[in-house]
């Protein structure tokens, strides 16, 4: 995020309030600022009784990694079916399939490390 001089930030806030605008932080920026602070794949904080913040963060990381892996596997499955039923012009290139496999392997390793507290 950019650092805006205090006097300019105050002036912007005053102008926005005068125009009837609430929090000037866009939703995208607000969500980005929350990332990597214990949120799981669904965007909510991972909270579980009896678990410390660090362990909750590990499980949230595993959740996000598994969600990403799920998406990659869906794409690879569709690419596999396309390879069986469509011409080469409609198929995903070998280089992209290889890259998706590597990304999937990394996500699986990250999830495993997080579950076992090795991150």
């Amino acid at each position: 995020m950019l650092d805006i001089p205090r006097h300019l930030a105050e002036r912007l806030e005053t102008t926005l309030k005068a125009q009837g605008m609430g929090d000037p932080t866009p939703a995208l920026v607000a969500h980005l600022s929350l990332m990597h602070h214990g949120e799981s794949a669904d965007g909510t904080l991972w909270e579980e009784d009896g678990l410390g913040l660090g362990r909750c963060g590990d499980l949230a990381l595993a959740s996000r990694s598994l969600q990403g892996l799920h998406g990659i596997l869906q794409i690879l499955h569709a690419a596999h079916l396309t390879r069986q039923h469509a011409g080469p012009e409609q198929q995903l290139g070998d280089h992209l399939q290889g890259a998706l496999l590597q990304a999937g392997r990394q996500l699986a390793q990250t999830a495993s490390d997080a579950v076992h507290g090795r991150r």
Side-chain angles (χ1 to χ4, degrees), residues 36 53-59 61 64 110 113-114 116-119:
H36 303 291
L53 290 177
R55 186 65 183 145
C56 286
D58 288 343
L59 294 174
L61 175 61
R64 292 190 309 272
T110 299
D113 288 350
H116 297 290
R118 297 186 301 240
R119 65 176 186 131

Side-chain angles (χ1 to χ4, degrees), residues 13-105:
E13 287 176 3
T14 302
T15 303
L16 289 171
K17 286 179 184 174
Q19 297 294 321
M21 300 185 85
D23 184 2
T25 306
L28 177 64
V29 174
H31 286 290
L32 285 171
S33 68
L34 290 174
M35 290 193 170
H36 303 291
H37 293 288
E39 79 286 353
S40 56
D42 65 1
T44 61
L45 289 179
W46 189 289
E47 297 176 324
E48 196 168 324
D49 290 337
L51 295 180
L53 290 177
R55 186 65 183 145
C56 286
D58 288 343
L59 294 174
L61 175 61
S63 173
R64 292 190 309 272
S65 296
L66 290 171
Q67 184 70 22
L69 179 58
H70 181 260
I72 287 174
L73 289 173
Q74 281 184 307
I75 293 168
L76 288 171
H77 189 203
H80 172 73
L81 294 173
T82 301
R83 197 173 282 260
Q84 292 178 339
H85 303 287
E89 71 283 349
Q90 294 182 20
Q91 295 177 18
L92 196 60
D94 288 339
H95 68 288
L96 289 175
Q97 287 188 45
L100 287 168
L101 285 169
Q102 289 296 336
R105 290 178 62 194

